[in-house]
Amino acid sequence: MFLTVKKEDIIEGLQKAAGIIPTRAGAAYLRSLWIQAEENALTIMATDANIEFIGSYPAEVREPGLAGVNGRNLVDLVRRLPAGELKLRLDQSEGGSGTLIIEQGRRTYKLPSNEPTWFQTLTPFPAENAVVWSGDFLQELIDRVFFCISDDEASDAIACLYVKPLPATDGARSGTIDVCGLNGHQFALTRFTNDDLAARLPEEGILVQRKYVAELRKWLEEEEIEVNFTDKRVFVRSGDKRETLSLPRATYAYPEYTAFLSRLSGGDISKLKINRKDCLDALDRISIFNTDSDRCAYFDLGADEVMLSAQGQDTGSANESLETSYDGSISRIAFPTKNMMEILTHYQSADVTLTLTGAEGPCGVGGEQDPDYTVLIMPMKIAEQNYYEEEA
């Protein structure tokens, strides 16, 4: 192998590949980054045995070949070199698997190359019936539900992002897709329409574990992308077709989420409409008074006013009154302060409506400027604790 390539053409791809390979854990071959020279291109490949990355970049190839080196060392070296041309060649004159020699001007570096038998062919992007999509739109969809996905890998399905096409008979128009996140006490659903993508998705939907979705979030950019699926993997390719990231699909059965969503349209519900920013700011101040044993903000509900409060034996107490519109029978309810704050940051609406199904039943959050987005949060059980009382 012998090629010439510009640092600025490959450094971003090298860093993306290095983000996938394990640093210390795992077998040595998983810590390897493979580079292949052929047809005027340098292909960079990396995997952790689950996620796979393939990137192809322009290069002047004099002799094709394949070399595998310690990925972290290669990336750290190239990152610290100045911009300009790099010469990479595989020297096998001393026998064995050889040495990768990297030259730039008067600089020369040698990295031991791995046995070619370590190399495992990665799965190429399946181009047939691929769907062209927007990278920033996919990023937005993920961000809106990611915080609700369980980070406990032992939780099986609820530790996954769930994407499901809806039948037109479900009251949704053809091409409608649900994207869901669930962690046991919160649920997020965002809904959008894409006929081509809905047609490619399997009827039962797809599941991707949270840790793999996190890598996809880091890789995504605003540019156009292509998306495709096989029975075992999800593929995302950059619009210029240079980079491909593929993720394994999980095989769990996702909970039937429509059951608890239907409670938001039941007959015995209460509705609280409140200014989103005012509520968020008040909760931020109130959170100062939360403790490890009481992380809640308490909502005392009136027809045109809500009183938000918190108190702690060592922190003191806080009370804030906000204007609101309320119609319902529940007089008091409590939510984890930080969780409610995080939920509100994902909305664009000036006002949000909290649909309360009971003092300890699921609460749905919605907004007029977010018509296809719903988050459910479970209230906390209220245990009265009065640390501060006014003297008679």
Side-chain angles (χ1 to χ4, degrees):
M1 181 180 74
F2 187 14
L3 64 98
T4 302
V5 66
K6 291 182 179 180
K7 171 197 169 173
E8 49 269 37
D9 287 340
I10 63 169
I11 185 58
E12 189 174 336
L14 284 172
Q15 290 174 328
K16 291 176 180 177
I20 293 171
I21 57 178
T23 52
R24 294 182 179 83
Y29 77 90
L30 291 178
R31 299 195 299 271
S32 299
L33 190 151
W34 293 89
I35 56 176
Q36 187 165 28
E38 58 181 357
E39 299 179 1
N40 297 318
L42 171 64
T43 300
I44 299 170
M45 295 166 283
T47 181
D48 65 352
N50 292 295
I51 304 173
E52 296 181 355
F53 173 83
I54 303 173
S56 185
Y57 311 95
E60 181 185 336
V61 177
R62 302 183 189 179
E63 182 180 336
L66 174 71
V69 297
N70 183 290
R72 296 287 175 179
N73 291 351
L74 176 62
V75 174
D76 285 346
L77 171 61
V78 175
R79 180 171 53 83
R80 298 177 192 186
L81 288 172
E85 282 192 347
L86 304 174
K87 291 182 179 179
L88 280 69
R89 59 188 175 91
L90 183 63
D91 182 5
Q92 295 178 300
S93 61
E94 298 181 5
S97 54
T99 300
L100 179 67
I101 301 175
I102 303 169
E103 298 175 309
Q104 187 187 53
R106 298 180 181 181
R107 308 177 186 93
T108 301
Y109 311 93
K110 297 182 179 181
L111 296 174
S113 179
N114 298 325
E115 290 290 341
T117 53
W118 287 11
F119 177 68
Q120 297 182 352
T121 303
L122 305 188
T123 312
F125 183 87
E128 187 176 359
N129 298 319
V131 177
V132 177
W133 206 13
S134 166
D136 57 347
F137 185 70
L138 176 55
Q139 178 96 57
E140 181 183 346
L141 290 173
I142 293 173
D143 287 344
R144 286 196 134 190
V145 304
F146 188 80
F147 71 101
C148 282
I149 302 173
S150 173
D151 57 5
D152 180 5
E153 293 182 23
S155 298
D156 297 341
I158 68 172
C160 299
L161 176 78
Y162 185 46
V163 183
K164 175 180 170 52
L166 294 186
T169 54
D170 279 3
R173 85 169 187 81
S174 176
T176 301
I177 299 170
D178 279 356
V179 181
C180 307
L182 173 65
N183 61 16
H185 59 272
Q186 289 180 180
F187 171 76
L189 165 69
T190 186
R191 182 169 287 177
F192 69 101
T193 301
N194 186 308
D195 291 331
D196 294 335
L197 188 62
R200 285 291 296 122
L201 285 165
E203 182 180 343
E204 70 277 10
I206 63 169
L207 287 164
V208 180
Q209 284 186 288
R210 186 183 195 272
K211 59 183 179 181
Y212 303 140
V213 177
E215 292 298 329
L216 176 60
R217 287 176 83 199
K218 293 190 290 186
W219 181 83
L220 280 172
E221 297 178 352
E222 295 184 0
E223 287 82 5
E224 186 178 86
I225 58 172
E226 292 179 281
V227 179
N228 214 339
F229 313 95
T230 63
D231 290 343
K232 295 183 178 180
R233 303 190 73 81
V234 176
F235 294 82
V236 183
R237 182 166 70 174
S238 59
D240 59 11
K241 298 178 171 42
R242 286 187 178 180
E243 295 181 352
T244 298
L245 190 73
S246 72
L247 316 168
R249 287 174 53 180
T251 56
Y252 309 116
Y254 203 73
E256 180 49 63
Y257 57 90
T258 56
F260 43 84
L261 279 174
S262 63
R263 294 187 60 178
L264 302 182
S265 55
D268 187 21
I269 59 173
S270 302
K271 290 204 170 186
L272 171 69
K273 187 175 183 180
I274 195 167
N275 182 275
R276 182 181 67 86
K277 186 178 185 305
D278 288 349
C279 184
L280 188 55
D281 290 344
L283 290 171
D284 188 32
R285 292 184 289 266
I286 281 175
S287 66
I288 298 171
F289 297 85
N290 285 155
T291 64
D292 290 340
S293 60
D294 192 343
R295 301 174 290 106
C296 295
Y298 296 87
F299 289 59
D300 289 283
L301 307 170
D304 54 11
E305 179 188 48
V306 58
M307 180 67 74
L308 274 62
S309 63
Q311 65 175 357
Q313 189 169 11
D314 299 320
T315 58
S317 63
N319 293 274
E320 293 206 23
S321 175
L322 299 177
E323 293 183 359
T324 187
S325 172
Y326 178 60
D327 179 18
S329 58
I330 299 170
S331 60
R332 197 171 202 232
I333 195 167
F335 297 105
T337 309
K338 295 291 188 182
N339 292 24
M340 181 58 80
M341 287 173 61
E342 183 171 31
I343 289 170
L344 295 178
T345 61
H346 288 277
Y347 281 84
Q348 303 297 320
S349 302
D351 295 326
V352 292
T353 298
L354 276 58
T355 302
L356 313 176
T357 64
E360 296 180 18
C363 166
V365 183
E368 290 184 2
Q369 283 76 54
D370 303 271
D372 299 313
Y373 184 48
T374 302
V375 179
L376 270 64
I377 180 171
M378 293 299 295
M380 301 292 286
K381 185 174 182 179
I382 297 176
E384 295 292 346
Q385 290 179 306
N386 293 318
Y387 299 119
Y388 299 91
E389 295 181 359
E390 293 185 6
E391 293 183 3

